Amino acid sequence: MKRREAIALVAGALGAVPGSFLPRTALAQSPTTAASTPPVNVLEFEPLARQRLSHAVWDYVAQGAADEHTLRRNREAFDAIRLRPRVLVDVSAVDTRLELFGQKLEFPILLAPVAAQGRIHGGAEPEAARGARAAGATIVISTFASSKIEDIARAAPGRAWFQLYVHRDRTVTRDLVQRAEAAGCTALCITVDTPVNPMRDREKRLAVRPPYTGPSSGGRVSPIYADALDPTVTWETVAWIRSFAKTPVLLKGVLSPDDARRAASEGLSGLIVSNHGGRNLDTTPPTIEALPAVAEAVQERIALLLDSGVRRGTDIVKALALGARAVLIGRPYLWGLAVDGAAGVQRVVDILRDELETAMALCGAPRLDKINRLLIWPER
């Protein structure tokens, strides 16, 4: 593949990623159709989004890996954690502001990178970015976005990060990073948990056919490899990217305390504790269960963020109490995008922000620095 063709393949043009080679099915209904009864929480967006999307697109968004144990456990684990509120605290003013990597955020909620959003809404990622901007949130742009990096970043000026899949052609990888920086992205998140294609049963039923790259053991052509994913990425690759990246560099997809400890010793700016929304390796722990050990390993030497399973303001409090500085949401804002475009995305973020402030006040934690493990009810 020539360099120019590779650049066109990623970060623009189509969003050609393993799993986005779906049949070009139309939306089941107009994504801007207003709900007769507006959702009052994030979970109420889910059935509305399902009604508006084709079966193929819905399955692609909703699916997890293999038997989807991790997908389910991401939610169950949050629900199993109980809060221990404190009372008789002045909560007349609740402050959710924080600073991450020199950037001031109004609240600890970011929009996770999601590929090929053009299949969910005609406005694609720029539409989601406009919703994020209206809500005051930062959006992380996927390497495999349906729209160009520049168009997405322009829709959310000063509120965009970039997520990188390392390309086999290192020149393409360098160009992507520099292109994102030139567009105004202020942090770089390297996804490190996807060196090969995951086993997703729903994807197989949709007849997704990622481009295979060659033989594996025994000389057979293996379905686990794809041109868009590089199985040779190592710590040395990360060091190489950091040598020319001008923005803070985070690793996305870390669950092991040993990996977290090494990332801290290597001088990374941050980690995103993530199991890819349950979409990659099934039977891994829920991220909220993995977080405490990762936090213990890094000892606040680098910033921790968390994704996968966040649906309520109380989830955010739990994540912050167990060591995260902020959380990322994925499917929830896609539901909002499907239901009502940018306005739906804004509403999803606004709901979570309202719930976060309420939970903080009822826990007796009027500032983010007052959220700690003492707010988690101890297990028996």
Side-chain angles (χ1 to χ4, degrees):
M1 181 182 292
K2 296 180 180 179
R3 174 185 167 197
R4 185 179 301 274
E5 293 171 342
I7 294 174
L9 175 68
V10 296
L14 172 64
V17 55
S20 68
F21 290 82
L22 295 175
R24 289 193 170 276
T25 49
L27 298 174
Q29 298 181 30
S30 167
T32 56
T33 302
S36 57
T37 303
V40 299
N41 61 58
V42 167
L43 292 168
E44 290 182 1
F45 277 90
E46 183 177 11
L48 297 176
R50 185 169 189 171
Q51 292 171 10
R52 286 159 171 74
L53 298 176
S54 70
H55 175 73
V57 173
W58 174 257
D59 262 6
Y60 176 66
V61 171
Q63 72 178 330
D67 296 311
E68 302 188 345
H69 292 298
T70 298
L71 176 66
R72 291 187 293 272
R73 285 285 295 137
N74 276 337
R75 274 307 314 151
E76 293 168 357
F78 268 115
D79 290 340
I81 296 172
R82 295 171 295 168
L83 291 170
R84 180 167 59 178
R86 300 302 301 272
V87 299
L88 296 176
V89 177
D90 182 355
V91 291
S92 58
V94 175
D95 187 355
T96 61
R97 293 173 297 176
L98 72 155
E99 186 171 304
L100 271 178
F101 317 122
Q103 304 168 40
K104 294 183 178 179
L105 306 181
E106 291 299 311
F107 45 86
I109 307 168
L110 297 88
L111 274 59
V114 179
Q117 294 180 32
R119 302 192 182 280
I120 297 167
H121 188 282
E125 291 84 4
E127 183 76 4
R130 282 187 282 272
R133 179 187 182 186
T138 292
I139 187 170
V140 186
I141 301 171
S142 170
T143 291
F144 300 114
S146 299
S147 304
K148 294 180 179 179
I149 298 172
E150 294 80 1
D151 293 341
I152 306 168
R154 192 177 302 117
R159 294 191 178 277
W161 294 2
F162 182 66
Q163 172 269 334
L164 175 71
Y165 278 106
V166 179
H167 199 275
R168 290 170 182 267
D169 183 335
R170 293 296 192 261
T171 303
V172 173
T173 297
R174 182 193 290 268
D175 287 348
L176 281 172
V177 172
Q178 294 176 341
R179 183 176 157 192
E181 291 174 346
C185 295
T186 54
L188 176 67
C189 306
I190 306 173
T191 291
V192 294
D193 63 354
T194 316
V196 297
N197 289 322
M199 288 292 106
R200 298 172 182 164
D201 291 356
R202 294 203 219 185
E203 222 164 75
K204 294 176 186 177
R205 295 187 190 101
L206 293 171
V208 172
R209 293 290 183 267
Y212 302 157
T213 59
S216 62
S217 60
R220 74 184 183 94
V221 174
S222 172
I224 74 171
Y225 296 109
D227 286 330
L229 303 175
D230 187 350
T232 71
V233 174
T234 64
W235 290 100
E236 287 69 30
T237 311
V238 173
W240 169 72
I241 294 170
R242 291 181 60 217
S243 73
F244 60 82
K246 294 181 172 61
T247 60
V249 177
L250 298 80
L251 301 185
K252 180 181 183 295
V254 174
L255 292 174
S256 166
D258 291 335
D259 288 337
R261 194 174 294 110
R262 175 157 184 180
S265 67
E266 295 272 345
L268 273 296
S269 297
L271 298 175
I272 301 176
V273 180
S274 169
N275 56 35
H276 220 98
R279 295 167 69 87
N280 274 11
L281 178 62
D282 203 14
T283 72
T284 57
T287 53
I288 194 63
E289 287 186 359
L291 177 61
V294 171
E296 179 68 21
V298 303
Q299 292 292 312
E300 299 185 351
R301 287 179 291 168
I302 57 178
L304 298 181
L305 291 78
L306 175 140
D307 74 16
S308 306
V310 175
R311 302 290 185 269
R312 284 284 192 177
T314 47
D315 297 338
I316 303 171
V317 170
K318 294 169 185 178
L320 269 56
L322 293 174
R325 294 288 310 283
V327 303
L328 295 90
I329 58 171
R331 291 182 182 91
Y333 84 84
L334 298 184
W335 302 336
L337 182 65
V339 170
D340 200 16
V345 173
Q346 178 183 359
R347 181 62 183 146
V348 163
V349 177
D350 285 346
I351 287 173
L352 285 174
R353 185 177 183 181
D354 291 344
E355 289 186 353
L356 170 62
E357 292 178 359
T358 301
M360 289 173 61
L362 293 176
C363 282
R367 303 192 311 271
L368 296 182
D369 62 5
K370 297 295 184 181
I371 301 176
N372 54 50
R373 291 199 185 198
L374 295 176
L375 293 183
I376 302 297
W377 199 274
E379 296 181 3
R380 294 181 179 178

